[in-house]
Amino acid sequence: MPEPSPTSKRRGRLVRIGAAVAVLLALAGYLSVQYLTGGTGGPGCKVVSGKGDGASYEFTPEQGVNAATIAAVGTGRGMPERAVTIALATALQESGLHNIQHGDRDSLGLFQQRPSQGWGTPKEIMDPAYAAGIFYAHLAKVPGYTRLPLTVAAQRVQRSGFPQAYAKHEPDATLLAAALTGRAAATLTCQGRPGATRTTGPDAVRAALMRDFGRDVVQEAGAEVGDGGGSSPAPTPAGSSGTSDSSGTSDSSGTPDSSGTSGAGGRTVTLPVSAGTAAAGIGARQRGWQLAHWAVANASALHIDRVSYAGREWTAGITDSPWRSDGAGGAGGAERDAGAVRITTGR
């Protein structure tokens, strides 16, 4: 076989170099997409046990949004934490907590509910809040469901061909339910990398709160929106536009945003929490942690930078961001403990 010419060798090297560059560019593009979308293809959130036993569960921002909706709808209907655990375990088994548009026969959504079996229209079932609500409505009709094994309770609602499959999700669902009902404080964290959505700012946060918790969470709690001024913001009626853009100012707490600069467009929705606004069976402090964890779970979707409650603060970051002391003690601590959840958006 003749020896390749110098020209052929150079051409071969150029081809190999070009292929290597293409691979590197593809990898860089993939990593960029993962960062910009909050890494929705892999875990970006984590919940840990409040008992200090080391138990934990990692999940994606998309799963976090859906789990937070399921929990919010459950407590809004006055359902106990056990009901939320059953609902979350069911959704983990049926859809992996993804709102999927396909399934066995005509099954759809988080719980794989079937329009042909009277669960609702396809449009209704694809609404996570509706799907969770109709699941709880059926679960509430199961006598003594809180005392039944999870597999039995879930099966009496779902009538699955594989009822025992729900059991494997009970530990993870238990951790999620404890955090997302607010019982286990400061146990849910997310990276908070911005997702590929344009629904940002306080209006988007308020709309999402009303979607999951109902209008009362904004109206009766007297939700406020800060535009970066130094004075306390005035209450903002639900459905109004809140504030104008506050680019270049600090948020209502007067502290720098997560980028390290003062303001950069940060705006804060403040949700006072009191016994009068707590969900049925949930005290004010637990309700506050439910709202705080809900905000963290929605951080990527709503571009939330910071969540503060009860002297603790979560700040979005590239890595898993823990809850830390906000460093503000003194007389203000009592006010924070009484309950005011502050949700700051800045992107």
Side-chain angles (χ1 to χ4, degrees):
M1 180 178 294
E3 184 73 17
S5 68
T7 301
S8 298
K9 289 181 179 180
R10 285 196 298 270
R11 186 179 297 113
R13 283 197 299 270
L14 289 174
V15 169
R16 289 192 295 272
I17 292 170
V21 170
V23 170
L24 289 173
L25 289 173
L27 178 60
Y30 169 78
L31 293 175
S32 297
V33 169
Q34 289 296 296
Y35 175 78
L36 291 173
T37 63
T40 54
C45 298
K46 183 178 182 179
V47 62
V48 299
S49 172
K51 301 176 182 178
D53 55 12
S56 65
Y57 170 58
E58 295 185 12
F59 50 100
T60 68
E62 177 191 358
Q63 291 173 305
V65 171
N66 291 327
T69 294
I70 290 171
V73 172
T75 57
R77 297 175 70 96
M79 303 293 281
E81 184 180 328
R82 179 61 175 172
V84 176
T85 300
I86 294 169
L88 288 169
T90 301
L92 278 166
Q93 170 58 29
E94 297 292 350
S95 67
L97 277 173
H98 298 289
N99 196 27
I100 54 180
Q101 301 185 38
H102 56 81
D104 178 48
R105 287 169 284 190
D106 59 337
S107 299
L108 296 169
L110 291 173
F111 297 91
Q112 288 293 279
Q113 295 156 336
R114 298 180 59 191
S116 64
Q117 300 301 306
W119 285 94
T121 66
K123 182 178 180 180
E124 288 174 330
I125 292 172
M126 289 302 297
D127 176 357
Y130 171 88
I134 198 71
F135 177 89
Y136 287 121
H138 282 72
L139 180 63
K141 297 177 182 178
V142 177
Y145 72 86
T146 58
R147 300 186 300 274
L148 294 174
L150 185 145
T151 53
V152 175
Q155 174 64 1
R156 291 190 180 175
V157 175
Q158 296 293 108
R159 304 187 183 280
S160 168
F162 306 95
Q164 295 305 314
Y166 298 118
K168 64 185 178 185
H169 299 290
E170 185 168 1
D172 297 336
T174 299
L175 291 177
L176 281 172
L180 291 171
T181 61
R183 179 174 62 81
T187 54
L188 189 149
T189 59
C190 290
Q191 293 171 338
R193 294 176 296 186
T197 173
R198 296 182 180 178
T199 56
T200 62
D203 283 344
V205 171
R206 287 150 53 85
L209 282 164
M210 288 189 287
R211 174 199 69 204
D212 288 357
F213 292 95
R215 188 170 293 272
D216 289 351
V217 75
V218 174
Q219 285 186 324
E220 292 184 11
E224 302 171 351
V225 177
D227 63 357
S231 60
S232 299
T236 306
S240 69
S241 61
T243 67
S244 60
D245 180 56
S246 59
S247 180
T249 64
S250 63
D251 66 11
S252 61
S253 66
T255 59
D257 68 10
S258 62
S259 67
T261 62
S262 180
R267 290 177 291 181
T268 299
V269 176
T270 300
L271 295 171
V273 182
S274 66
T277 59
I282 294 182
R285 188 177 178 84
Q286 183 173 344
R287 178 65 158 181
W289 276 112
Q290 180 181 27
L291 291 167
H293 283 155
W294 174 93
V296 173
N298 280 272
S300 290
L302 297 174
H303 296 193
I304 292 171
D305 282 344
R306 184 166 60 251
V307 181
S308 303
Y309 179 64
R312 304 289 292 275
E313 185 173 87
W314 167 91
T315 303
I318 296 176
T319 57
D320 188 18
S321 300
W323 286 90
R324 303 180 185 277
S325 170
D326 64 8
E335 179 183 351
R336 285 190 299 274
D337 287 344
V341 179
R342 292 178 174 84
I343 305 170
T344 301
T345 66
R347 292 183 288 266

